[in-house]
């Protein structure tokens, strides 16, 4: 009975003295990344998607601004537009509060492309969301420029651009 206890004690002491105290040779920095999906009308009438990595430490508002800025660079959102506030409620509705510049539109683009580029990109980028409500200065607008009804929250629509 004594011999197994002596051997177990020896193994226990040896392990904690020599093996458990070793440090890894190289530090591994792990950076978590999350992605943003940009969904917009492509050249041939179908929807195009670009997936872009962003830092996982970015807030929802930062990710929302990133989406809007990327859509601006693609000419889908007017250059003067800024996202003033973004809120996601418990029912999965994203409330996007824009400046009045959104109502001016983009030359040569209809508001169908603008609205669904915003809606589809936000819904694809944020989990557990179902609809997007577009607001201008915290007020719902009936339509941006006369084509798409935007007074109520809008769902993801993949067929609006496709044949």
């Amino acid at each position: 009975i004594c011999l197994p206890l002596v051997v177990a004690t020896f193994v226990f002491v040896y392990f904690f003295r020599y093996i458990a105290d070793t440090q890894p040779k190289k530090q591994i920095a792990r950076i978590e990344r999350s992605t943003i999906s940009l969904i917009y009308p492509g050249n041939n009438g179908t929807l195009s998607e670009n997936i872009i990595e962003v830092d996982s430490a970015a807030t929802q508002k930062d990710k929302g601004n990133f989406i809007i800025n990327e859509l601006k660079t693609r000419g889908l959102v007017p250059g003067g537009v800024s996202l003033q506030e973004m809120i996601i409620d418990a029912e999965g509705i994203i409330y996007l509060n824009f400046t009045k510049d959104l109502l001016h539109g983009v030359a040569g683009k209809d508001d169908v492309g603008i609205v669904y580029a915003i809606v589809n990109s936000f819904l694809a980028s944020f989990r557990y969301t179902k609809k997007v409500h577009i607001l201008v200065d915290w007020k719902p607008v009936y339509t941006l420029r006369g084509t798409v009804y935007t007074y109520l929250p809008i769902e993801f629509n993949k067929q609006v651009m496709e044949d």
Side-chain angles (χ1 to χ4, degrees):
I1 291 179
C2 223
L3 184 62
L5 287 174
V6 170
V7 171
T9 304
F10 176 74
V11 169
F12 184 75
V13 168
Y14 177 78
F15 176 78
F16 280 106
R17 178 171 283 197
Y18 297 106
I19 296 174
D21 202 24
T22 60
Q23 297 293 325
K25 292 181 181 183
K26 183 167 60 167
Q27 292 289 336
I28 300 171
R30 188 168 194 181
I31 300 173
E32 291 185 29
R33 306 291 286 177
S34 61
T35 59
I36 294 287
S37 295
L38 293 176
I39 300 175
Y40 54 92
N43 294 334
N44 58 358
T46 60
L47 293 177
S48 298
E49 179 178 19
N50 282 4
I51 298 174
I52 302 169
E53 284 191 9
V54 294
D55 187 13
S56 64
T59 64
Q60 291 178 345
K61 175 87 170 23
D62 293 338
K63 292 177 185 178
N65 283 327
F66 186 79
I67 291 171
I68 295 302
N69 289 334
E70 286 294 317
L71 292 175
K72 282 182 195 178
T73 60
R74 287 171 171 73
L76 295 166
V77 175
V81 169
S82 67
L83 180 63
Q84 294 178 333
E85 192 65 46
M86 175 183 159
I87 297 173
I88 301 176
D89 72 4
E91 296 173 356
I93 299 174
I94 303 173
Y95 295 90
L96 301 175
N97 184 33
F98 291 101
T99 57
K100 290 183 181 183
D101 296 325
L102 184 65
L103 299 174
H104 300 305
V106 177
K109 302 281 184 183
D110 61 350
D111 59 335
V112 175
I114 295 171
V115 168
Y116 284 104
I118 294 170
V119 169
N120 291 345
S121 295
F122 273 88
L123 290 177
S125 298
F126 293 96
R127 288 181 162 183
Y128 311 115
T129 55
K130 300 174 189 170
K131 296 179 181 181
V132 172
H133 198 168
I134 297 174
L135 305 168
V136 174
D137 292 333
W138 287 114
K139 296 176 187 164
V141 291
Y142 286 100
T143 180
L144 296 185
R145 291 187 354 201
T147 307
V148 179
Y149 181 70
T150 58
Y151 192 74
L152 296 174
I154 304 169
E155 295 179 342
F156 189 93
N157 190 347
K158 69 176 187 166
Q159 297 176 349
V160 72
M161 301 294 171
E162 296 179 343
D163 294 331

